Amino acid sequence: MAIKRLGDWRKLPVSLTELCIDTTLRCGQSFRWRKINDEWTCALRGRLLSLKQDSTHLHYKVTWPEVPPAPEADDTEELLHHYFSLSLDLGSLYEQWSQVDPNFRKRAPTFSGVRILSQDAWEALVSFICSSNNNISRISQMVHKLCRHYGPLIAYVGDEAIHDLPGPGDLVGPEVEAHLRELGFGYRAKYIAQTARIVAKEKPNSWLESLRNPQSPSFASEKLPESQHKTYREAHDELLALAGVGPKVADCVCLMGLGWGESVPVDTHVWQIAQRDYKMGKTKSKTFNKAMYDAVGDHFRELWGPYAGWAHSVLFTADLREFAEAGIKKEGSVKEVKVKEEIIEEVTGPRRKRKTVETTIESQVKLEDAKVETDLEIRRTSKRRQTRASSRTNKGG
DNA sequence: ATTAAGCCTTGGCA
DNA sequence: ATGCCAAGGCTTA
């Protein structure tokens, strides 16, 4: 299939504190963006998008497939504006969160420009069904397999075929579950096949969209009549009825796919953050049940306000192992590695024993300067930092 | 109503 | 080498 209409680079003015794509595109929100030749690339709404960023602008390039014909008016700028919610002033949100929350104030400077992506609701639903008991690397592999085997071909980047995400209707065949199992989806194969069938066949066409926050319209928006408007809680409850969708996955779909900014997905990381930095769950039953799930979300909503989910993702990102290593140089001498361990201890808090490593002035400087590098070579330099308690919800193996 | 075990797979680590 | 644990949980008993 020939691909035509290679566009030119265009740009939008946006600062790195308002949007940092190196962080936002790989912090576990969307699993389809890939960095190829120093450009972030993803098929989105029928076109191939490539992104680069400097301190003042987001640069973008669009490639349309030959079929179907590209639309007359290219709406890519509007798409990006919507996808990144660029009309939202992230700087003042960070200020507000910092004023009410010392912990946020401490962590946020290293992780500026982290935004919630306005993803397609179906993409969020499928992606986060895959996310259960799983890690970002494998989730990404699974979502890419889903695209490669069931989604439309959009373009080639070098030898690599880039497919868009399949719709629910593309996943209703009788062999889908077995095939997904062969592809390594494990027990999630059934959930995806069932959910696709329900969304495509049992629910009305606009069901997913009807769960959207009316104040956060979708990109391809036919506005829903007011009588069909749902609340965040109603949207969350309806999603819970789907197979493979529990409270956490439902919140991910609400936050990233349906525009509910107050939604706070509480996963094992966020639960650890809540315990470590907000002293939650220290008394009473230590078990992490539904009541505790709701309590954590409610606490953060009270603290951070209507965009609590956005604030949550900043701290979540700061806690990801990959990002805890932010700001470290690639060259990995032994000394560098040790410095890195020191920084990780710094970022993840005082609860664990500190390594017996001297703090260097150098490391302090680096920590402050820690803007995320994309190609960190050194991985897993520190030993397992997970505590026993955190494995509660995780009986796998 | 609440709790614990089982689930697919990959990769790091002892 | 072999086994165990952890990875952005959900379902079932």
Side-chain angles (χ1 to χ4, degrees):
Chain A
M1 183 181 300
I3 305 294
K4 287 291 165 55
R5 299 194 51 168
L6 286 170
D8 298 323
W9 285 95
R10 286 175 277 177
K11 61 184 180 180
L12 289 170
V14 59
S15 73
L16 278 164
T17 53
E18 279 299 307
L19 169 65
C20 176
I21 59 173
D22 270 347
T23 313
T24 300
L25 296 183
R26 64 195 182 101
C27 67
Q29 293 189 54
S30 168
F31 302 93
R32 295 198 294 128
W33 287 95
R34 306 170 84 160
K35 200 162 193 180
I36 304 172
N37 300 331
D38 216 40
E39 298 167 9
W40 284 104
T41 302
C42 183
L44 219 54
R45 292 194 182 274
R47 75 207 77 178
L48 183 77
L49 265 179
S50 302
L51 302 180
K52 291 187 294 189
Q53 192 175 20
D54 60 31
S55 58
T56 59
H57 289 85
L58 177 66
H59 301 256
Y60 66 96
K61 187 178 69 175
V62 58
T63 308
W64 290 94
E66 201 163 61
V67 288
E72 290 296 320
D74 189 314
D75 58 356
T76 302
E77 177 171 340
E78 291 77 16
L79 174 60
L80 286 170
H81 196 273
H82 178 269
Y83 190 72
F84 290 113
S85 301
L86 291 180
S87 51
L88 205 60
D89 184 347
L90 191 65
S92 32
L93 283 173
Y94 268 58
E95 277 180 32
Q96 291 170 235
W97 297 325
S98 295
Q99 276 174 17
V100 298
D101 181 359
N103 184 57
F104 185 92
R105 183 164 62 238
K106 185 170 75 184
R107 302 287 164 90
T110 313
F111 294 92
S112 58
V114 178
R115 280 176 180 265
I116 296 296
L117 302 171
S118 291
Q119 297 185 69
D120 175 74
W122 169 249
E123 172 165 2
L125 180 54
V126 170
S127 301
F128 287 102
I129 286 176
C130 292
S131 79
S132 81
N133 202 12
N134 212 343
N135 55 60
I136 292 178
S137 163
R138 186 173 167 222
I139 300 163
S140 302
Q141 290 178 47
M142 287 161 66
V143 174
H144 280 120
K145 281 180 186 171
L146 204 60
C147 295
R148 182 157 59 250
H149 289 271
Y150 293 96
L153 176 64
I154 299 298
Y156 282 93
V157 176
D159 290 340
E160 189 167 5
I162 309 283
H163 296 254
D164 208 339
L165 194 85
D170 299 321
L171 298 167
V172 296
E175 77 299 342
V176 167
E177 178 184 341
H179 184 211
L180 292 181
R181 276 193 176 266
E182 283 174 26
L183 293 175
F185 282 63
Y187 60 85
R188 304 164 196 86
K190 181 164 68 178
Y191 300 154
I192 291 176
Q194 284 181 354
T195 296
R197 207 163 290 165
I198 287 172
V199 172
K201 294 187 164 175
E202 290 185 18
K203 301 283 189 183
N205 272 340
S206 58
W207 175 69
L208 258 182
E209 280 306 309
S210 77
L211 306 181
R212 170 172 299 280
N213 182 353
Q215 295 184 331
S216 176
S218 85
F219 182 66
S221 61
E222 311 98 39
K223 279 188 181 164
L224 286 148
E226 207 161 312
S227 60
Q228 289 183 31
H229 285 183
K230 300 276 183 14
T231 65
Y232 157 57
R233 306 281 179 181
E234 289 168 339
H236 192 264
D237 282 351
E238 288 209 32
L239 289 167
L240 281 182
L242 297 169
V245 179
K248 187 267 179 181
V249 170
D251 267 321
C252 287
V253 178
C254 282
L255 177 64
M256 303 168 201
L258 294 169
W260 294 107
E262 71 261 51
S263 173
V264 179
V266 182
D267 58 26
T268 173
H269 279 244
V270 176
W271 173 233
Q272 286 176 65
I273 292 170
Q275 292 177 100
R276 187 190 63 212
D277 300 331
Y278 298 87
K279 310 304 176 199
M280 297 194 68
K282 295 295 186 183
T283 59
K284 306 198 73 173
S285 67
K286 293 199 155 191
T287 48
F288 185 72
N289 51 26
K290 181 66 164 72
M292 188 58 78
Y293 183 97
D294 292 336
V296 172
D298 289 342
H299 177 76
F300 285 135
R301 275 183 283 276
E302 261 183 53
L303 180 61
W304 293 326
Y307 286 91
W310 288 58
H312 129 283
S313 87
V314 177
L315 297 190
F316 173 83
T317 301
D319 221 54
L320 281 179
R321 192 196 310 275
E322 194 175 359
F323 289 100
E325 299 175 355
I328 313 302
K329 283 187 177 157
K330 294 182 192 176
E331 295 76 33
S333 68
V334 174
K335 186 180 176 186
E336 288 282 346
V337 171
K338 285 187 175 178
V339 168
K340 184 177 299 189
E341 284 179 349
E342 178 67 20
I343 290 177
I344 288 168
E345 295 299 320
E346 198 78 47
V347 170
T348 56
R351 192 153 149 254
R352 301 172 239 291
K353 275 193 304 188
R354 296 180 84 84
K355 297 274 194 296
T356 56
V357 178
E358 321 86 295
T359 311
T360 62
I361 293 189
E362 204 179 321
S363 76
Q364 301 295 340
V365 172
K366 283 178 183 168
L367 182 56
E368 286 179 7
D369 196 32
K371 186 49 72 179
V372 173
E373 290 285 334
T374 313
D375 299 311
L376 292 174
E377 303 282 3
I378 310 164
R379 314 182 69 79
R380 305 192 55 84
T381 54
S382 77
K383 293 203 285 211
R384 216 182 287 138
R385 296 185 305 283
Q386 199 84 0
T387 57
R388 199 68 193 86
S390 70
S391 65
R392 183 178 310 99
T393 60
N394 196 353
K395 305 287 191 197

